[in-house]
């Protein structure tokens, strides 16, 4: 897993350990704290230990070509998890959520909240995307822009900073502190007298940084309403922010289901059974089209928290108090 800095990776990892243990496997879970060299060293050590299967959520999906070739030579089954391994044919499957749909849901949340499809506007708008070394950021961005680009082109969404291309709005390692700093700079330079109406924050870590910056200059108090702010991952601080009105929405990806899917996939592969995939055309990693199992994400606003997050058992009600 990439890091323990984001709660979702801890959740993913524990869910996967539980699922694999139930299937009779011994597991070794490692976190690399967003250090590419650490993750490569961890993989190298696991190869030496003689593992039968690897499930990898790559920090930088382009960096592990040589290690994957060694894994292939040793007959080790490899599944790319959540993030796509790039530029290699030496792994087997990909398990992820439909990241394009995640972006579509985020874009639709802004359209709905601002009533853009009813002809309202113009509204001031900014974009905070994820890390460009993560293929997911590219796919989510494409989904977002498929919804919002027409409103940007028509002038209904006005990006006062002029920062719209992915390389302009990306945030290294999905770091909330970097998002906060960038938001501080944007507010200072472009919103001295103008009101910011909406922020596409690609995940909850970014949303936390964005909201903190907005709060720091008086949004959400004194008659200055918070902008519409999106997110992803339904992390507890952001769910609480949604419930109190600081964040508008998040995209819930039930990591229990993804971990279970990855565990079943690697179990099937190791037993020589057919591995369940539902997409064999969409994920070209630069070297091959990767057989993929896609799961569906769900948009969550305040009205959805009880049904989607509590009733499903993902969170207990007391954790959201």
């Amino acid at each position: 897993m990439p890091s323990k800095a984001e709660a979702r990776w801890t959740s993913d990892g524990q869910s996967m350990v539980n699922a694999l243990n139930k299937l009779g496997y011994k597991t070794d879970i490692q976190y690399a704290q967003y250090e590419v060299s650490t993750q490569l060293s961890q993989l190298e050590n696991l190869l030496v230990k003689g593992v039968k299967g690897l499930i990898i959520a790559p920090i930088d999906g382009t960096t592990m070509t040589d290690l994957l070739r060694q894994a292939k030579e040793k007959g080790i089954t490899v599944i790319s998890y959540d993030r796509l391994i790039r530029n290699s044919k030496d792994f087997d499957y990909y398990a992820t959520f439909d990241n394009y749909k995640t972006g579509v849901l985020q874009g639709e949340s802004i359209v709905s909240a601002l009533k853009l499809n009813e002809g309202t506007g113009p509204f001031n708008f900014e974009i905070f995307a994820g890390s460009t070394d993560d293929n997911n950021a590219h796919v989510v961005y494409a989904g977002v822009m498929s919804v919002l680009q027409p409103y940007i082109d028509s002038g209904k969404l006005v990006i006062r900073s002029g920062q719209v291309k992915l390389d302009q709005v990306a945030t290294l390692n999905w770091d909330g502190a970097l998002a906060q700093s960038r938001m501080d700079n944007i507010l200072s330079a472009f919103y001295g007298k103008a009101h910011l109406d909406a922020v596409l924050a690609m995940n909850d870590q970014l949303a936390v940084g964005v909201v903190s910056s907005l709060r720091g200059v008086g949004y959400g108090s004194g008659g200055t309403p918070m902008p519409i702010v999106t997110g992803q991952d339904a992390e507890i601080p952001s769910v609480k922010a949604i419930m109190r009105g600081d964040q508008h929405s998040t995209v819930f990806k039930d990591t229990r289901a993804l971990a279970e899917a990855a565990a079943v996939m690697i179990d099937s592969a190791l037993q020589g059974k057919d591995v369940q995939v539902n997409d064999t055309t969409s994920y070209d990693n630069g070297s091959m089209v990767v057989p993929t199992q896609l799961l569906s994400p769900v948009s969550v606003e305040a009205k959805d928290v009880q049904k989607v997050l509590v009733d499903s058992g993902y969170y207990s009600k007391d954790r959201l108090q």
Side-chain angles (χ1 to χ4, degrees):
M1 297 288 104
S3 172
K4 286 186 175 180
E6 292 175 61
R8 69 144 302 183
W9 294 121
T10 306
S11 175
D12 283 61
Q14 190 56 56
S15 294
M16 207 175 312
V17 167
N18 293 342
L20 287 165
N21 287 346
K22 286 179 182 177
L23 290 168
Y25 293 95
K26 295 179 180 178
T27 56
D28 185 337
I29 185 166
Q30 310 252 344
Y31 292 89
Q33 304 310 106
Y34 278 125
E35 292 288 341
V36 172
S37 60
T38 298
Q39 188 168 57
L40 295 178
S41 177
Q42 289 170 342
L43 288 168
E44 188 172 10
N45 290 337
L46 289 169
L47 292 181
V48 171
K49 288 176 67 174
V51 296
K52 300 298 183 184
L54 284 168
I55 299 173
I56 306 168
I59 297 169
D60 182 341
T62 66
T63 58
M64 48 191 64
T65 305
D66 291 342
L67 285 170
L68 291 171
R69 187 178 301 116
Q70 294 175 41
K72 191 77 168 181
E73 290 170 354
K74 293 175 179 290
I76 297 170
T77 298
V78 178
I79 292 177
S80 185
Y81 182 84
D82 191 71
R83 297 174 163 200
L84 183 61
I85 293 169
R86 304 283 303 173
N87 303 330
S88 173
K89 292 184 177 180
D90 295 323
F91 69 104
D92 302 284
Y93 301 100
Y94 182 33
T96 191
F97 285 90
D98 188 335
N99 291 297
Y100 187 87
K101 184 176 180 182
T102 294
V104 168
L105 291 173
Q106 291 175 337
E108 288 177 345
S109 178
I110 287 174
V111 170
S112 175
L114 296 179
K115 296 181 169 59
L116 291 173
N117 54 1
E118 298 176 19
T120 59
F123 296 101
N124 292 322
F125 170 64
E126 298 292 341
I127 303 172
F128 285 72
S131 193
T132 54
D133 58 5
D134 178 357
N135 188 69
N136 287 356
H138 297 260
V139 180
V140 176
Y141 178 82
V144 165
M145 299 309 285
S146 74
V147 175
L148 297 184
Q149 189 69 59
Y151 298 103
I152 295 171
D153 293 342
S154 70
K156 293 297 183 181
L157 289 175
V158 179
I159 302 175
R160 294 176 68 89
S161 71
Q163 299 168 11
V164 64
K165 295 181 180 179
L166 181 57
D167 61 355
Q168 295 175 309
V169 301
T171 312
L172 182 64
N173 291 337
W174 303 76
D175 188 327
L178 293 178
Q180 181 172 346
S181 176
R182 178 169 167 253
M183 186 83 266
D184 288 343
N185 292 334
I186 288 174
L187 291 171
S188 175
F190 302 103
Y191 292 93
K193 295 183 179 180
H195 184 271
L196 178 58
D197 300 298
V199 181
L200 190 292
M202 199 174 277
N203 83 344
D204 288 344
Q205 293 285 318
L206 303 180
V208 167
V210 165
V211 167
S212 180
S213 175
L214 291 164
R215 278 283 184 186
V217 295
Y219 281 87
S221 63
T224 304
M226 286 293 291
I228 302 302
V229 180
T230 64
Q232 177 188 175
D233 295 329
E235 295 188 351
I236 286 177
S238 281
V239 176
K240 290 181 177 180
I242 289 169
M243 294 169 71
R244 67 174 179 263
D246 283 348
Q247 185 173 324
H248 178 71
S249 65
T250 188
V251 176
F252 173 52
K253 303 187 299 185
D254 192 336
T255 56
R256 298 169 302 180
L258 186 61
E260 178 74 24
V264 170
M265 289 170 74
I266 206 160
D267 178 52
S268 296
L270 292 173
Q271 293 195 50
K273 299 177 180 178
D274 290 339
V275 176
Q276 182 178 353
V277 297
N278 56 15
D279 188 308
T280 56
T281 60
S282 300
Y283 287 88
D284 187 334
N285 77 343
S287 295
M288 66 173 178
V289 177
V290 187
T292 300
Q293 180 69 8
L294 286 178
L295 280 69
S296 293
V298 178
S299 185
V300 174
E301 299 177 11
K303 62 182 174 59
D304 307 307
V305 169
Q306 179 68 39
K307 179 179 179 181
V308 176
L309 300 178
V310 178
D311 292 352
S312 70
Y314 195 79
Y315 291 134
S316 61
K317 193 169 184 177
D318 64 287
R319 293 190 69 191
L320 301 179
Q321 299 299 318

